[in-house]
Amino acid sequence: MTGRTTLTIVLAAGEGTRMRSSMPKVLHPVAGQSLLAHVLGAAPKGGGTALAVVVGPDHQAVADEACRVRSEADIYVQAERLGTAHAVMAAHEAVARDYDDLVIAFGDTPLISAATFERMRAPLAAGAGLAVLGFHAADPTGYGRLVVDGGQLVAIREQADASADERAITLCNAGVMAFDGRIALKVLEQIGNTNSKGEYYLTDAVAIVRALGRDVVVIETGEDEVRGINTKAQLAQAEQVMQARLRQAALDAGVTMIAPETVFLSADTTFGKDVTIEPNVVFGLGVSVGDGAVIHAFSYIEKSTIGARALVGPFARMRPGTSLGDGAKIGNFVETKAAIIDAGAKVNHLTYIGDAHIGAKANIGAGTITCNYDGFDKYKTIIGKGAFIGSNSSLVAPVRIGDGAYIGSGSVITKDVADNALAIGRGQQTARENWATRFRDAKAAAKAERK
Ligand code: UD1
Ligand code: CA
């Protein structure tokens, strides 16, 4: 919203005990990114915006995550967990600065979109005192109910304080609120804790804003967007919703997926044109796939770049730091890590390539292993362009194979190999004529004598 200044406060002081985890609730991942990162990614950004995150007293890790995602975030600590309005007041100092809009969101609601944040701010520009995000809950139990009278929102009633009639209401508070910044502090200061839980409820703001003679409006959205995460089951549900969204976006962008419901994406996976993904492929964080690449079934890819028309899998594992050049190929049962594989190189079967650089059009035979680790340190293997590594070779790093060089199958290579040389590092083959016949005859005779 041009011309208006906005402060967004994200509440993340939850204990998350129902996750049964030693990790703070908002750090759990959906599509590879923390719940908090999703919310912070959707929160208003750009000119005139400021961001504050409220964390609990022991949650340095949450503060670190907030700053990693949005370096401009100011962190406030809520020393005691006395309710959502109390949490907002932990950021009192920020609220007291004169912003046009004050937007409050919860750190455990990862599916919220940037568009919804924009929709929340629009009524403020038109003069409303408060906008509340609402949704129709399939099961409203536990949510604050939106009490609407004559088309106006008059109150939000928390489950514990609601009458039987109010509990029948299915329109619920999603947790996102947008205040006219000029009245926000005055309203927050008036919120008391005279409810059944003895907490300071942000939801009491509705009645207070109304008493000031200002309009309170409800902005509605679908339940899927505002699912709050309190348990691992809800985390898995959110993952499902997010995966469906990411798959749809990939299909809309022209990616071909034979069975999209079996492909798992990360929030930051990117695709070029005419990419094909076969069933049962998992993309971890940090993967980009170039134009025309094909990812065959059952591949697992993390923090890697895949070039144009490259072929991956089936059953390939690309670990962090793999860069696959244009038209290069990684086949079945191949694992790569910190590997730069130049254009047109082929690593077709049963191979480990770690801490390595493979030159353009090199051919790596089946069963080749880069021996990159001695139990203490990692070393590099460099393979020149057009080199040919015979099957079942061990390349003991640090080692360099020259451009166009040949390595005989079954070699253990411990020394550098010059350009265009042939290196063989294995026992020499010997043969004895008719040895097998003599062996069999002698054995058969000995056996006959024993009878
Ligand atoms: C809250 C709303 C309810 C709404 C529901 C939507 C209030 C009083 N109730 O209920 O109307 O339907 O969310 O999911 O606002 N938090 C703090 N410090 C506190 C208390 C909470 O930081 O002292 C944070 C939590 O980390 C969480 C959020 O505020 O991110 C909501 O708190 P929670 O206790 O989950 O509220 P609900 O009971 O779910
Ligand atoms: Ca909640």
Side-chain angles (χ1 to χ4, degrees):
M1 229 114 300
T2 48
R4 292 178 69 86
T5 60
T6 300
L7 168 66
T8 305
I9 302 182
V10 176
L11 305 186
E15 293 157 14
T17 46
R18 290 174 66 204
M19 298 293 268
R20 309 257 185 273
S21 168
S22 50
M23 180 162 55
K25 175 165 79 172
V26 296
L27 296 187
H28 283 76
V30 165
Q33 267 179 7
S34 69
L35 304 182
L36 184 62
H38 284 285
V39 179
L40 295 179
K45 38 173 89 87
T49 67
L51 183 65
V53 179
V54 177
V55 305
D58 305 321
H59 283 175
Q60 186 57 44
V62 176
D64 291 346
E65 171 70 352
C67 295
R68 184 188 67 79
V69 179
R70 296 281 297 266
S71 56
E72 80 275 26
D74 288 320
I75 307 297
Y76 296 90
V77 177
Q78 183 192 23
E80 268 183 293
R81 207 169 181 279
L82 298 179
T84 43
H86 183 263
V88 174
M89 286 302 265
H92 173 277
E93 175 205 15
V95 178
R97 291 185 218 127
D98 276 328
Y99 292 97
D100 295 320
D101 310 325
L102 170 66
V103 178
I104 316 288
F106 294 165
D108 65 354
T109 313
L111 301 165
I112 188 107
S113 70
T116 295
F117 276 108
E118 286 310 310
R119 282 173 66 213
M120 297 291 293
R121 291 157 74 200
L124 302 178
L130 174 63
V132 172
L133 188 62
F135 68 103
H136 280 283
D139 174 11
T141 312
Y143 287 113
R145 310 300 208 283
L146 301 189
V147 183
V148 176
D149 191 16
Q152 285 271 337
L153 179 62
V154 292
I156 303 179
R157 201 77 70 219
E158 290 305 304
Q159 171 87 16
D161 305 299
S163 66
D165 277 355
E166 287 166 342
R167 284 184 188 188
I169 299 171
T170 59
L171 185 61
C172 293
N173 174 26
V176 183
M177 288 193 185
F179 288 85
D180 173 351
R182 282 157 301 185
I183 60 166
L185 192 56
K186 191 160 93 181
V187 171
L188 290 164
E189 279 168 343
Q190 282 184 49
I191 293 177
N193 62 349
T194 53
N195 47 58
S196 59
K197 282 197 182 162
E199 284 190 3
Y200 295 86
Y201 283 170
L202 189 57
T203 46
D204 287 352
V206 171
I208 298 168
V209 172
R210 291 270 299 165
L212 291 174
R214 299 290 302 274
D215 282 343
V216 178
V217 301
V218 178
I219 302 288
E220 265 195 63
T221 189
E223 180 161 19
D224 271 347
E225 201 190 340
V226 291
R227 289 182 186 283
I229 313 295
N230 293 322
T231 64
K232 289 283 170 75
Q234 288 168 336
L235 184 71
Q237 237 175 13
E239 181 76 47
Q240 242 175 48
V241 174
M242 187 64 81
Q243 288 298 333
R245 269 192 207 171
L246 294 170
R247 289 167 191 146
Q248 190 59 50
L251 292 166
D252 289 347
V255 174
T256 298
M257 287 190 268
I258 295 151
E261 69 281 7
T262 66
V263 173
F264 290 82
L265 301 164
S266 279
D268 65 349
T269 312
T270 65
F271 299 105
K273 267 191 172 170
D274 296 315
V275 168
T276 297
I277 305 168
E278 290 186 355
N280 297 298
V281 173
V282 176
F283 292 92
L285 284 174
V287 178
S288 72
V289 184
D291 295 350
V294 178
I295 316 295
H296 293 288
F298 297 101
S299 295
Y300 191 105
I301 307 165
E302 305 164 86
K303 294 199 172 71
S304 293
T305 305
I306 296 169
R309 299 171 313 283
L311 303 177
V312 174
F315 298 99
R317 176 163 183 218
M318 295 175 74
R319 291 170 54 201
T322 302
S323 161
L324 191 57
D326 293 352
K329 183 170 181 211
I330 290 181
N332 42 255
F333 307 107
V334 170
E335 175 181 341
T336 60
K337 185 217 73 170
I340 308 218
I341 299 167
D342 287 343
K346 288 187 181 141
V347 189
N348 275 340
H349 359 245
L350 301 158
T351 287
Y352 173 61
I353 300 293
D355 301 300
H357 185 162
I358 297 180
K361 294 195 170 156
N363 193 313
I364 312 298
T368 299
I369 305 291
T370 53
C371 309
N372 60 330
Y373 186 49
D374 61 8
F376 296 90
D377 295 303
K378 303 267 168 68
Y379 305 93
K380 239 187 129 166
T381 300
I382 294 167
I383 299 173
K385 50 179 184 286
F388 184 97
I389 312 298
S391 296
N392 208 30
S393 293
S394 300
L395 309 176
V396 182
V399 71
R400 174 188 292 267
I401 314 294
D403 293 352
Y406 259 71
I407 304 297
S409 297
S411 290
V412 177
I413 298 295
T414 57
K415 292 183 218 125
D416 289 358
V417 177
D419 291 357
N420 301 310
L422 166 67
I424 303 175
R426 65 183 183 218
Q428 279 221 318
Q429 184 169 329
T430 60
R432 293 188 223 166
E433 296 229 336
N434 288 321
W435 179 91
T437 312
R438 289 196 300 275
F439 175 76
R440 276 192 299 268
D441 291 350
K443 280 294 199 187
K447 199 169 181 181
E449 220 161 88
R450 281 200 300 272
K451 280 191 180 153

